[in-house]
């Protein structure tokens, strides 16, 4: 068979994601605060964009003839494009909501006049420009900073001070020393005695108990501080494993005390902090700012029942196009390359404004459907949370499941019951005992916690007993499922809970 070149013509189809589509998908998955940062970068990169206070603020200086010419540009070939390009996207009613039904106060988070709104709910402060200061994460000094601020006054020996500061940097977040003194001596090239002296300086700092190498040593430091480290307390601290196993009678005999003295020692022990370092933060943390605000509405909403759903406009700056600056720059552009660059900036600005508008429209649509589906939760609490999937929401609002997934990622909803991530409302289902439907796994967990919190310390409920009690409430669960949910919410087995209640009963 002879080999030779030949020319073939083939026709095929492929899906190509344009840069604009990639940008729109990226914006959909971002939270409001991330969108705010994205807009800040766009403002730096595009001179035609600016933050607007009112619709059409950038058009006041444009002559009618110039404005008419701008409306006929090839970049704005539809009425919607004209409105968006002129900064009047609101005239197109992009959110498909009757303006007469909007409560302007809710856009700033000011819910003080909302019927049924809780005055103590987070984010419902009277000023309303952003969540209350109590909601923000603590910016206090870290444990290391707190200790470094004290250690300088404990000694004038530069070597001891250096070793003590090195030990402080080795403490974990709970305040425990994670390295051995021998390793420290070898690493720093100092005698072991000097390291032990430096550790004594660290253990004398506030809070008492930092620098300990074990739980027993941490509690012993606090007992010495309270002048309660007598031989009986020392024997108790040396046998914490017996205390953990609930062998109280044996421990009482080892300590050589009667019931009254042992109860006093236990009460003293409960007053100590096993993790003193956790009183301090690990550093500045970002505050959770809700992206969506939900409250009771005076008038019924066709999509969300008695609930009003709105975006948190306090974290969404309004982006407009500076039309007057565009006209000025277009007149100054003499080269074809400059005009082309300016046209690209205008096209990018138009697309970004429309993409942000579409993002708000999509988020509001998804959030409204979630509120409608989980109406029982917003009215009565977590026990009435229904099982819900992304596909169920997507099919109801005629969107793709991946779009709903992007909308619900990294976004938070604030209501009278608190602030919740949107993913919280999507839970798996558990079959009900009557066979009529499924209940949410979160509702099952809430039922388990309620039963365990109300159990008699002398009759701790086993997993089998929990299964029977839950079946009476309409939850048809296997024993292993109950055990899995119990462990997921941090509750121990019946043996562990009995031991804890026995220890708590020693006074």
């Amino acid at each position: 068979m002879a080999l030779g070149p030949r020319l073939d013509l083939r026709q095929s189809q492929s899906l190509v994601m344009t840069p604009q589509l990639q940008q729109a998908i990226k914006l959909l998955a971002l939270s409001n605060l991330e969108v705010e940062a994205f807009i800040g970068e766009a403002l730096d990169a595009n001179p035609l964009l600016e933050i607007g206070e009112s619709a059409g603020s950038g058009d006041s200086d444009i002559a009618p003839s110039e404005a008419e010419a701008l409306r006929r540009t090839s970049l704005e070939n539809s009425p919607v494009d004209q409105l968006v390009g002129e900064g009047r996207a609101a005239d197109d009613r992009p959110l498909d909501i009757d303006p007469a039904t909007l409560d302007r106060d809710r856009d700033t988070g000011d819910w003080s006049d909302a019927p049924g709104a809780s005055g103590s709910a987070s984010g419902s402060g009277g000023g309303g420009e952003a969540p209350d200061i109590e909601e923000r994460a603590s910016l206090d000094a870290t444990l290391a900073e707190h200790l470094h601020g004290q250690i300088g006054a404990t000694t004038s020996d530069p070597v001891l001070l250096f070793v003590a500061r090195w030990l402080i940097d080795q403490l974990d977040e709970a305040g425990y020393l994670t390295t051995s003194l021998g390793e420290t001596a070898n690493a720093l090239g100092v005698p072991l005695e000097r390291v032990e002296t430096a550790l004594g300086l660290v253990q004398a700092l506030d809070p008492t108990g930092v620098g300990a190498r074990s739980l027993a040593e941490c509690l012993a430091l606090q007992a010495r501080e309270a002048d309660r480290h007598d031989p009986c307390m020392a024997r108790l601290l040396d046998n914490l494993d017996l205390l953990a196993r609930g062998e109280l009678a044996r421990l009482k005999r080892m300590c050589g005390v009667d019931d009254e003295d042992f109860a006093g020692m236990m009460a003293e022990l409960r007053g100590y902090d096993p993790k003193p370092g956790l009183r301090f933060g690990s550093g500045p943390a970002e505050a959770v700012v809700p992206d969506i605000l939900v409250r009771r509405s005076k008038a019924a909403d066709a999509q969300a029942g008695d609930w009003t759903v709105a975006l948190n406009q306090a974290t969404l700056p309004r982006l407009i196009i500076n039309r007057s600056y565009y006209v000025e720059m277009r007149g100054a552009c003499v080269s074809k390359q400059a005009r082309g660059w300016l046209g690209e900036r205008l096209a990018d600005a138009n697309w970004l404004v429309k993409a942000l508008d579409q993002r708000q429209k999509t988020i509001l649509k998804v959030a409204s459907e979630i509120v409608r589906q989980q109406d029982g939760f917003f009215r009565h609490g977590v026990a009435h949370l229904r099982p819900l999937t992304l596909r169920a929401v997507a099919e109801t609002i005629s969107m793709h499941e991946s779009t709903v997934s992007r909308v619900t990622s990294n976004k938070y909803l604030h209501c009278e019951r608190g602030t919740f991530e949107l993913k919280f409302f999507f839970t798996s289902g558990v079959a009900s005992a009557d066979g009529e439907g499924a209940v949410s796994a979160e509702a099952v967990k809430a039922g388990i916690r309620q039963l365990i919190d109300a159990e008699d310390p002398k009759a701790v409920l086993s997993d089998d007993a929990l299964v029977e009690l839950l079946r009476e409430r309409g939850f048809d669960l296997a024993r292993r499922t109950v055990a899995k949910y119990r462990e997921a919410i941090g509750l121990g087995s019946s043996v562990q809970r009995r031991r804890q209640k026995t220890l708590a009963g020693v006074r």
Side-chain angles (χ1 to χ4, degrees):
M1 181 178 179
L3 298 178
R6 69 178 182 179
L7 183 62
D8 288 338
L9 181 62
R10 298 181 180 180
Q11 187 176 16
S12 63
Q13 292 181 341
S14 62
L15 180 62
V16 178
M17 293 185 64
T18 63
Q20 291 84 359
L21 181 57
Q22 295 178 14
Q23 184 185 70
I25 293 176
K26 177 182 178 182
L27 287 174
L28 196 60
L30 298 180
S31 65
N32 280 7
L33 293 181
E34 292 171 330
V35 169
E36 186 177 8
F38 179 86
I39 291 177
E41 296 177 359
L43 290 173
D44 294 336
N46 196 331
L48 299 181
L49 292 173
E50 65 179 18
I51 300 297
E53 296 295 334
S54 59
S57 61
D59 295 340
S60 58
D61 298 332
I62 303 179
S65 60
E66 294 176 332
E68 183 65 26
L70 289 175
R71 293 190 185 98
R72 292 194 295 267
T73 60
S74 59
L75 296 172
E76 299 173 355
N77 50 17
S78 70
V80 176
D81 288 338
Q82 293 174 15
L83 292 173
V84 173
E86 296 169 10
R88 298 189 295 115
D91 295 348
D92 188 48
R93 291 178 59 190
L95 298 182
D96 295 332
I97 295 179
D98 185 2
T101 64
L102 292 178
D103 184 352
R104 300 299 178 184
D105 289 342
R106 74 159 184 264
D107 293 340
T108 61
D110 186 1
W111 294 0
S112 57
D113 297 330
S118 173
S120 61
S122 60
S124 58
E129 289 301 328
D132 296 338
I133 191 64
E134 290 82 6
E135 252 191 277
R136 300 192 174 274
S138 174
L139 298 179
D140 295 338
T142 63
L143 175 64
E145 293 171 344
H146 179 72
L147 298 178
H148 280 301
Q150 304 176 59
I151 195 64
T154 60
T155 180
S156 58
D157 189 334
V159 176
L160 276 181
L161 186 60
F162 174 80
V163 176
R165 291 189 182 277
W166 193 90
L167 291 174
I168 290 175
D169 291 333
Q170 308 309 309
L171 301 181
D172 62 13
E173 61 179 7
Y176 286 85
L177 183 63
T178 57
T179 60
S180 66
L181 298 186
E183 293 175 352
T184 302
N186 293 332
L188 301 181
V190 296
L192 181 60
E193 294 77 10
R194 302 282 280 176
V195 178
E196 293 174 347
T197 304
L199 178 61
L201 297 178
V202 174
Q203 292 180 345
L205 301 178
D206 176 73
T208 305
V210 295
R213 290 156 289 180
S214 65
L215 175 61
E217 185 177 13
C218 177
L219 299 178
L221 290 172
Q222 298 177 59
R224 293 190 183 95
E225 176 72 16
D227 197 20
R228 288 297 304 270
H229 195 260
D230 51 26
C232 295
M233 179 64 76
R235 197 170 293 113
L236 174 62
L237 295 178
D238 290 339
N239 295 275
L240 291 178
D241 56 333
L242 299 179
L243 183 62
R245 293 198 297 267
E247 300 182 18
L248 303 183
R250 179 182 176 187
L251 193 57
K252 191 186 308 179
R253 290 194 301 271
M254 294 180 63
C255 295
V257 295
D258 55 19
D259 292 343
E260 183 179 356
D261 290 339
F262 187 75
M265 293 168 61
M266 293 295 297
E268 181 73 21
L269 193 61
R270 290 192 192 94
Y272 298 154
D273 188 354
K275 297 180 179 181
L278 295 184
R279 304 177 193 175
F280 301 85
S282 58
E286 295 183 1
V288 174
V289 179
D291 304 273
I292 302 159
L293 307 177
V294 177
R295 66 165 187 169
R296 293 185 182 273
S297 59
K298 297 179 180 179
D301 188 331
Q303 287 187 345
D306 295 333
W307 305 100
T308 299
V309 184
L311 296 177
N312 186 2
Q313 299 293 342
T315 58
L316 281 177
R318 185 174 179 274
L319 199 62
I320 65 172
I321 301 175
N322 191 333
R323 307 296 297 178
S324 60
Y325 186 59
Y326 170 74
V327 173
E328 182 180 350
M329 290 186 65
R330 191 185 63 170
C333 292
V334 295
S335 65
K336 183 178 180 180
Q337 182 180 4
R339 287 181 177 272
W341 177 86
L342 184 60
E344 292 176 358
R345 299 287 77 75
L346 180 61
D348 292 343
N350 283 334
W351 175 260
L352 181 57
V353 171
K354 288 188 288 186
L356 291 173
D357 175 68
Q358 183 62 35
R359 173 186 179 271
Q360 296 184 29
K361 187 176 181 180
T362 304
I363 293 176
L364 195 60
K365 191 174 184 180
V366 173
S368 297
E369 179 60 23
I370 292 175
V371 172
R372 189 188 69 83
Q373 295 268 11
Q374 300 291 4
D375 181 76
F377 165 80
F378 292 98
R379 294 180 184 276
H380 307 294
V382 69
H384 295 266
L385 197 64
R386 295 177 49 193
L388 187 63
T389 62
L390 297 174
R391 177 174 296 181
V393 173
E395 291 177 351
T396 304
I397 60 178
S398 300
M399 287 186 178
H400 196 274
E401 186 176 348
S402 62
T403 302
V404 178
S405 177
R406 292 186 180 95
V407 169
T408 55
S409 64
N410 301 320
K411 295 180 183 63
Y412 292 83
L413 180 148
H414 177 78
C415 62
E416 297 173 4
R417 299 188 178 278
T419 302
F420 304 88
E421 188 177 8
L422 285 184
K423 293 291 187 183
F424 169 79
F425 299 100
F426 295 89
T427 61
S428 58
V430 177
S432 60
D434 54 12
E436 294 182 356
V439 294
S440 170
E442 293 296 332
V444 175
K445 292 178 183 178
I448 294 175
R449 180 181 293 277
Q450 184 179 9
L451 290 173
I452 291 179
D453 289 344
E455 66 184 357
D456 187 349
K458 297 181 179 180
V460 177
L461 299 174
S462 64
D463 289 343
D464 291 326
L466 290 173
V467 169
E468 295 300 327
L469 292 174
L470 290 171
R471 185 171 289 114
E472 294 176 2
R473 295 191 174 193
F475 301 141
D476 187 11
L477 302 173
R479 182 182 180 278
R480 61 179 181 276
T481 305
V482 172
K484 180 183 70 173
Y485 287 161
R486 174 180 51 74
E487 293 172 357
I489 57 180
L491 298 176
S493 65
S494 58
V495 176
Q496 293 172 327
R497 299 199 308 275
R498 185 179 295 108
R499 184 183 305 152
Q500 292 171 355
K501 293 179 184 294
T502 300
L503 293 177
V506 178
R507 292 291 186 267

